[in-house]
Amino acid sequence: MKSESDPVKSFRAPPRRFSPDWSDGKYERTAATLLPAAQEVITVAAPQPSEHLVDVGCGTGNAALLAAERGASVTGIDPAARLLEVAEQEARRRELTASFLRGEASSLPLADASADVVVSVFGVIFAPDPKAAIEEFARVLRPAGRIVLSAWIPEGPISAATRAVREGVMHAIDAPATPPPFPWHSQAALHDLFASHNFEVEVHERTLAFSAASATAYVDDDFQNHPMWLASRALISDEQAQAIRATAIEILDEANELDDGFQVTSRYVIALATPSG
Ligand SMILES: C[S@@+](CC[C@H](N)C(=O)[O-])C[C@H]1O[C@@H](n2cnc3c(N)ncnc32)[C@H](O)[C@@H]1O
């Protein structure tokens, strides 16, 4: 019997109020920043040419297209229609074969036992119901299938700046406090999440650099283009937005690793789930 402090049992899906449409703005810059993480995930997933790989929350297709380059049969799935179009165009440009479908982690448009590998590069971490998502991953996987996902470790300057922005917006609109997000980075939480589907989980740590000309340039680019910020920006005044922007710049400036230019490093995990026994 698990206690209520258990992260899987005690997790409650948050209200969907801030769920952004990732088609808005220009997610492409972030996709370029995340590409090294997609490469790490695909290295761990190691899809073979005979295998069907499903990329959940594929965005513009970073991981899906890397798997297609390895010759795997690939399906990328995302709720954001514009990002799927970008992924399709990129597949054509690189002369790769991959299907891109509209869908959501807890409702994949795929048959039972039709995939060998499910990957998700910072995608399923946005699903409102982690249990439903993993149940769905288990449904579409063949019996010996594997799951590889990446998730941020919630520490460091990018995490602090993101949290400050979220809290600033919540405060500005007088929104009720929301429960903390599911701890996708935690080996213990993942163990509990996957155990009921008879998967065991290994967690490997990696780092990813975020860079720009300056902390201000980094924040301004995000504030003008990133779908998550644009979804919140519409809810607050110019004055409130300026105060939140200043806080984010201050956090990132203080953590800058470079004398000339801007770079900060975030830690994340790659979790590999395989059938136990
Ligand atoms: C940070 S982006 C990562 C995109 C891509 N994997 C990459 O590496 O660039 C998060 C992606 O998750 C998608 N997403 C958001 N909620 C989702 C959900 N409930 N199920 C599946 N994907 C979701 C978004 O549309 C977006 O494309």
Side-chain angles (χ1 to χ4, degrees):
M1 184 82 177
K2 298 270 162 71
S3 75
E4 272 299 289
S5 63
D6 178 287
V8 177
K9 275 270 165 79
S10 60
F11 181 77
R12 299 279 177 273
R16 304 211 58 187
R17 176 179 199 158
F18 291 114
S19 170
D21 181 348
W22 290 74
S23 292
D24 291 346
K26 199 160 167 46
Y27 170 71
E28 285 84 335
R29 179 192 80 147
T30 306
T33 303
L34 299 189
L35 183 59
Q39 285 161 338
E40 294 281 346
V41 165
I42 290 300
T43 299
V44 172
Q48 303 300 304
S50 57
E51 291 187 316
H52 179 206
L53 176 140
V54 178
D55 180 8
V56 177
C58 65
T60 53
N62 272 353
L65 296 175
L66 291 168
E69 274 174 355
R70 289 177 172 236
S73 157
V74 170
T75 307
I77 295 174
D78 202 283
R82 188 185 75 77
L83 301 190
L84 295 173
E85 281 167 25
V86 173
E88 271 169 1
Q89 279 165 16
E90 186 60 11
R92 274 196 297 278
R93 192 186 68 76
R94 286 157 63 178
E95 299 185 352
L96 295 169
T97 304
S99 300
F100 291 97
L101 302 175
R102 193 120 186 245
E104 200 267 334
S106 61
S107 169
L108 299 174
L110 296 172
D112 294 358
S114 57
D116 300 288
V117 196
V118 174
V119 301
S120 190
V121 183
F122 307 115
V124 68
I125 60 172
F126 292 99
D129 187 342
K131 277 185 274 189
I134 295 309
E135 195 170 321
E136 187 66 348
F137 287 13
R139 179 187 69 76
V140 302
L141 273 176
R142 298 199 173 106
R146 56 206 185 275
I147 299 169
V148 184
L149 60 89
S150 64
W152 300 112
I153 297 174
E155 54 156 57
I158 292 287
S159 175
T162 305
R163 202 166 38 248
V165 169
R166 189 175 57 239
E167 285 168 3
V169 172
M170 301 292 270
H171 180 71
I173 64 172
D174 212 12
T178 51
F182 181 79
W184 285 99
H185 64 287
S186 154
Q187 159 96 50
L190 291 173
H191 169 84
D192 288 355
L193 186 63
F194 282 100
S196 59
H197 299 288
N198 297 319
F199 283 100
E200 54 196 41
V201 184
E202 294 171 13
V203 169
H204 304 277
E205 205 178 302
R206 299 282 190 276
T207 58
L208 188 75
F210 292 76
S211 55
S214 65
T216 300
Y218 180 86
V219 170
D220 283 346
D221 196 313
D222 250 15
F223 277 31
Q224 280 155 24
N225 295 309
H226 198 291
M228 292 204 64
W229 168 250
L230 294 176
S232 310
R233 176 67 186 86
L235 305 171
I236 61 177
S237 69
D238 289 349
E239 200 180 25
Q240 289 166 331
Q242 282 312 318
I244 292 168
R245 170 182 172 273
T247 304
I249 291 170
E250 192 182 331
I251 291 169
L252 294 182
D253 234 350
E254 207 158 285
N256 191 359
E257 295 160 8
L258 303 180
D259 293 330
D260 186 18
F262 168 73
Q263 178 177 293
V264 291
T265 305
S266 290
R267 292 162 67 220
Y268 68 98
V269 298
I270 293 182
L272 166 64
T274 50
S276 28

